[in-house]
Amino acid sequence: MQELYTQSSTGASSLEVSKVLRNTYALLAMTIAFSAVTATIAMAINFPYMGLWMLLPYIGLLYAVEKTKNSTAGIFWVFALTGYLGLTLGPILSFYIGTTGIEPIIMALGGTALIFFGLSGYVLVTRKDMSFATGFIMTGFLVAFVAMMASAFLDISGLSLAVSCMFLVLSSLLIMWQTSAIIHGGETNYISATVTLYVSLYNIFTILLSFLGASDD
Protein backbone atom coordinates (compact mmCIF):
# COMPACT_ATOMS: atom_id res chain seq x y z
CA MET A 1 0.00 0.00 0.00
CA GLN A 2 2.85 2.35 0.89
CA GLU A 3 4.60 1.52 -2.40
CA LEU A 4 1.40 2.24 -4.34
CA TYR A 5 1.08 5.62 -2.59
CA THR A 6 4.70 6.47 -3.38
CA GLN A 7 4.28 5.60 -7.05
CA SER A 8 1.10 7.66 -7.23
CA SER A 9 2.81 10.67 -5.61
CA THR A 10 5.73 10.37 -8.00
CA GLY A 11 3.36 10.25 -10.96
CA ALA A 12 1.48 13.30 -9.76
CA SER A 13 4.76 15.14 -9.19
CA SER A 14 5.95 14.29 -12.72
CA LEU A 15 2.68 15.54 -14.16
CA GLU A 16 3.01 18.81 -12.24
CA VAL A 17 6.59 19.30 -13.43
CA SER A 18 5.54 18.63 -17.03
CA LYS A 19 2.70 21.12 -16.69
CA VAL A 20 4.98 23.86 -15.31
CA LEU A 21 7.56 23.22 -18.04
CA ARG A 22 4.93 23.25 -20.78
CA ASN A 23 3.29 26.44 -19.53
CA THR A 24 6.66 28.14 -19.00
CA TYR A 25 7.95 27.42 -22.50
CA ALA A 26 4.61 28.33 -24.10
CA LEU A 27 4.45 31.66 -22.26
CA LEU A 28 8.13 32.31 -22.96
CA ALA A 29 7.59 31.81 -26.69
CA MET A 30 4.60 34.17 -26.67
CA THR A 31 6.43 36.88 -24.74
CA ILE A 32 9.42 36.69 -27.08
CA ALA A 33 7.09 37.08 -30.07
CA PHE A 34 5.35 40.01 -28.37
CA SER A 35 8.71 41.64 -27.64
CA ALA A 36 9.64 41.30 -31.30
CA VAL A 37 6.44 43.20 -32.17
CA THR A 38 7.09 45.99 -29.67
CA ALA A 39 10.73 46.23 -30.76
CA THR A 40 9.57 46.65 -34.36
CA ILE A 41 7.15 49.36 -33.28
CA ALA A 42 9.91 51.11 -31.34
CA MET A 43 12.13 51.08 -34.43
CA ALA A 44 9.30 52.45 -36.57
CA ILE A 45 8.55 55.38 -34.25
CA ASN A 46 12.21 56.06 -33.35
CA PHE A 47 11.68 55.26 -29.68
CA PRO A 48 14.53 56.94 -27.74
CA TYR A 49 17.34 55.06 -26.06
CA MET A 50 16.73 55.29 -22.32
CA GLY A 51 20.06 54.17 -20.90
CA LEU A 52 19.97 53.40 -17.20
CA TRP A 53 16.62 55.18 -16.89
CA MET A 54 15.05 52.06 -18.36
CA LEU A 55 15.61 50.40 -14.99
CA LEU A 56 12.94 52.47 -13.25
CA PRO A 57 9.92 51.17 -15.26
CA TYR A 58 11.57 47.73 -15.36
CA ILE A 59 11.76 47.48 -11.56
CA GLY A 60 8.16 48.71 -11.24
CA LEU A 61 6.87 46.16 -13.75
CA LEU A 62 8.93 43.40 -12.14
CA TYR A 63 7.35 44.27 -8.80
CA ALA A 64 3.87 44.13 -10.37
CA VAL A 65 4.60 40.66 -11.79
CA GLU A 66 5.81 39.42 -8.42
CA LYS A 67 2.72 40.71 -6.63
CA THR A 68 0.28 39.16 -9.14
CA LYS A 69 2.09 35.97 -10.16
CA ASN A 70 -0.49 33.76 -8.45
CA SER A 71 -3.44 35.32 -10.29
CA THR A 72 -4.56 35.79 -13.88
CA ALA A 73 -3.47 39.43 -13.64
CA GLY A 74 0.09 38.11 -13.60
CA ILE A 75 -0.23 37.22 -17.28
CA PHE A 76 -1.05 40.84 -18.12
CA TRP A 77 1.95 42.14 -16.21
CA VAL A 78 4.28 39.58 -17.79
CA PHE A 79 3.31 40.87 -21.23
CA ALA A 80 3.59 44.47 -19.99
CA LEU A 81 7.13 43.77 -18.73
CA THR A 82 8.34 41.88 -21.80
CA GLY A 83 6.63 44.31 -24.16
CA TYR A 84 8.41 47.18 -22.44
CA LEU A 85 11.76 45.40 -22.70
CA GLY A 86 11.01 44.90 -26.39
CA LEU A 87 10.55 48.67 -26.69
CA THR A 88 13.96 49.24 -25.11
CA LEU A 89 15.49 46.90 -27.70
CA GLY A 90 14.16 48.98 -30.59
CA PRO A 91 16.71 51.82 -30.47
CA ILE A 92 19.53 49.34 -29.85
CA LEU A 93 18.58 47.32 -32.93
CA SER A 94 18.20 50.51 -34.99
CA PHE A 95 21.69 51.59 -33.97
CA TYR A 96 23.33 48.34 -35.01
CA ILE A 97 21.39 48.08 -38.25
CA GLY A 98 22.50 51.61 -39.11
CA THR A 99 26.16 51.06 -38.24
CA THR A 100 27.05 47.40 -38.81
CA GLY A 101 24.05 45.96 -40.66
CA ILE A 102 21.74 43.12 -39.68
CA GLU A 103 24.39 40.38 -39.53
CA PRO A 104 25.39 40.91 -35.86
CA ILE A 105 21.71 40.81 -34.87
CA ILE A 106 21.15 37.50 -36.64
CA MET A 107 24.32 36.05 -35.13
CA ALA A 108 23.34 37.28 -31.64
CA LEU A 109 19.89 35.70 -32.01
CA GLY A 110 21.47 32.43 -33.11
CA GLY A 111 23.98 32.50 -30.28
CA THR A 112 21.27 33.23 -27.73
CA ALA A 113 19.13 30.35 -29.00
CA LEU A 114 22.14 28.01 -28.97
CA ILE A 115 23.00 28.93 -25.37
CA PHE A 116 19.41 28.57 -24.19
CA PHE A 117 18.67 25.22 -25.82
CA GLY A 118 22.12 23.87 -24.98
CA LEU A 119 22.03 24.76 -21.27
CA SER A 120 18.37 23.98 -20.62
CA GLY A 121 18.66 20.76 -22.64
CA TYR A 122 21.68 19.70 -20.61
CA VAL A 123 19.79 20.14 -17.34
CA LEU A 124 16.68 18.40 -18.68
CA VAL A 125 18.67 15.39 -19.88
CA THR A 126 21.01 15.04 -16.90
CA ARG A 127 18.44 16.27 -14.34
CA LYS A 128 21.28 18.09 -12.62
CA ASP A 129 20.29 19.82 -9.38
CA MET A 130 21.58 23.40 -9.52
CA SER A 131 20.22 24.47 -6.13
CA PHE A 132 23.80 24.58 -4.78
CA ALA A 133 24.45 27.63 -7.02
CA THR A 134 21.60 29.76 -5.64
CA GLY A 135 23.73 31.87 -3.31
CA PHE A 136 26.52 32.30 -5.86
CA ILE A 137 24.12 33.48 -8.59
CA MET A 138 22.25 35.93 -6.37
CA THR A 139 25.47 37.38 -4.95
CA GLY A 140 26.99 37.50 -8.41
CA PHE A 141 24.09 39.54 -9.81
CA LEU A 142 24.32 41.96 -6.89
CA VAL A 143 28.04 42.47 -7.49
CA ALA A 144 27.49 42.77 -11.26
CA PHE A 145 24.76 45.38 -10.75
CA VAL A 146 26.96 47.49 -8.48
CA ALA A 147 29.81 47.18 -11.00
CA MET A 148 27.43 48.20 -13.81
CA MET A 149 26.44 51.36 -11.92
CA ALA A 150 30.11 52.14 -11.27
CA SER A 151 30.90 51.60 -14.93
CA ALA A 152 28.18 54.08 -15.91
CA PHE A 153 29.65 56.87 -13.77
CA LEU A 154 33.37 56.09 -13.61
CA ASP A 155 35.77 55.97 -16.51
CA ILE A 156 37.56 52.73 -15.66
CA SER A 157 39.18 50.94 -18.58
CA GLY A 158 37.90 47.42 -19.09
CA LEU A 159 35.18 47.61 -16.41
CA SER A 160 32.32 47.72 -18.91
CA LEU A 161 33.67 44.60 -20.66
CA ALA A 162 34.11 42.82 -17.33
CA VAL A 163 30.53 43.67 -16.32
CA SER A 164 29.19 42.35 -19.63
CA CYS A 165 31.09 39.09 -19.18
CA MET A 166 29.76 38.76 -15.63
CA PHE A 167 26.17 39.22 -16.75
CA LEU A 168 26.68 36.79 -19.64
CA VAL A 169 27.98 34.03 -17.36
CA LEU A 170 25.45 34.68 -14.59
CA SER A 171 22.49 34.79 -17.02
CA SER A 172 23.63 31.49 -18.52
CA LEU A 173 23.85 29.94 -15.05
CA LEU A 174 20.42 31.36 -14.25
CA ILE A 175 18.90 29.47 -17.19
CA MET A 176 20.33 26.22 -15.83
CA TRP A 177 19.26 27.08 -12.28
CA GLN A 178 15.67 27.93 -13.26
CA THR A 179 15.28 24.82 -15.42
CA SER A 180 16.64 22.71 -12.57
CA ALA A 181 14.26 24.35 -10.08
CA ILE A 182 11.30 23.42 -12.28
CA ILE A 183 12.19 19.77 -12.80
CA HIS A 184 13.06 19.26 -9.12
CA GLY A 185 9.91 20.92 -7.85
CA GLY A 186 11.54 24.04 -6.46
CA GLU A 187 9.63 26.26 -8.88
CA THR A 188 5.91 25.65 -9.41
CA ASN A 189 4.90 29.08 -10.72
CA TYR A 190 5.31 29.27 -14.48
CA ILE A 191 4.93 33.06 -14.50
CA SER A 192 7.98 33.51 -12.27
CA ALA A 193 9.90 30.94 -14.29
CA THR A 194 9.02 32.68 -17.56
CA VAL A 195 10.20 36.06 -16.34
CA THR A 196 13.49 34.61 -15.07
CA LEU A 197 14.20 32.88 -18.37
CA TYR A 198 13.10 35.87 -20.46
CA VAL A 199 15.33 38.33 -18.59
CA SER A 200 18.24 35.89 -18.90
CA LEU A 201 17.69 35.67 -22.66
CA TYR A 202 17.38 39.46 -22.91
CA ASN A 203 20.72 39.89 -21.13
CA ILE A 204 22.47 37.26 -23.23
CA PHE A 205 21.14 38.65 -26.52
CA THR A 206 22.08 42.28 -25.80
CA ILE A 207 25.55 41.31 -24.55
CA LEU A 208 26.28 39.08 -27.54
CA LEU A 209 25.04 41.85 -29.82
CA SER A 210 27.38 44.36 -28.19
CA PHE A 211 30.31 41.97 -28.60
CA LEU A 212 29.51 41.14 -32.23
CA GLY A 213 28.69 44.73 -33.11
CA ALA A 214 31.96 45.94 -31.63
CA SER A 215 33.94 43.30 -33.51
CA ASP A 216 32.31 44.30 -36.79
CA ASP A 217 32.80 48.02 -36.20
Side-chain angles (χ1 to χ4, degrees):
M1 188 68 176
Q2 179 64 35
E3 181 180 354
L4 180 61
Y5 174 77
T6 302
Q7 291 176 347
S8 176
S9 299
T10 302
S13 177
S14 298
L15 289 174
E16 181 65 25
V17 167
S18 297
K19 180 180 178 182
V20 175
L21 272 176
R22 183 172 62 251
N23 289 341
T24 297
Y25 288 146
L27 185 57
L28 181 63
M30 288 187 286
T31 54
I32 289 174
F34 184 60
S35 293
V37 172
T38 58
T40 302
I41 293 173
M43 294 170 66
I45 65 175
N46 292 319
F47 189 79
Y49 177 66
M50 299 176 65
L52 289 179
W53 290 108
M54 64 86 65
L55 290 174
L56 295 179
Y58 167 72
I59 292 172
L61 290 168
L62 202 60
Y63 175 78
V65 171
E66 181 62 25
K67 293 294 289 185
T68 60
K69 65 182 182 181
N70 294 313
S71 66
T72 54
I75 300 294
F76 168 81
W77 287 112
V78 167
F79 277 98
L81 172 64
T82 56
Y84 166 71
L85 289 177
L87 283 177
T88 65
L89 274 179
I92 298 174
L93 297 178
S94 294
F95 170 78
Y96 282 107
I97 290 174
T99 55
T100 60
I102 199 171
E103 290 82 4
I105 297 175
I106 295 175
M107 293 178 65
L109 284 172
T112 302
L114 184 63
I115 290 173
F116 174 72
F117 288 116
L119 295 179
S120 58
Y122 168 77
V123 174
L124 288 172
V125 170
T126 63
R127 301 190 66 81
K128 186 174 182 62
D129 187 353
M130 296 291 296
S131 60
F132 69 91
T134 302
F136 173 79
I137 294 173
M138 297 304 107
T139 302
F141 270 113
L142 179 60
V143 172
F145 181 78
V146 172
M148 180 184 71
M149 299 302 291
S151 175
F153 295 104
L154 303 176
D155 186 17
I156 302 177
S157 178
L159 181 58
S160 179
L161 177 61
V163 169
S164 294
C165 291
M166 288 174 66
F167 272 106
L168 181 62
V169 172
L170 289 168
S171 295
S172 299
L173 286 174
L174 193 57
I175 290 174
M176 298 176 68
W177 177 87
Q178 184 62 85
T179 305
S180 172
I182 294 173
I183 64 175
H184 290 288
E187 178 63 85
T188 58
N189 189 294
Y190 70 94
I191 289 178
S192 293
T194 297
V195 170
T196 300
L197 292 175
Y198 178 94
V199 172
S200 297
L201 292 174
Y202 180 95
N203 288 339
I204 292 171
F205 171 71
T206 53
I207 293 168
L208 290 180
L209 182 58
S210 69
F211 288 165
L212 295 167
S215 65
D216 284 352
D217 188 3

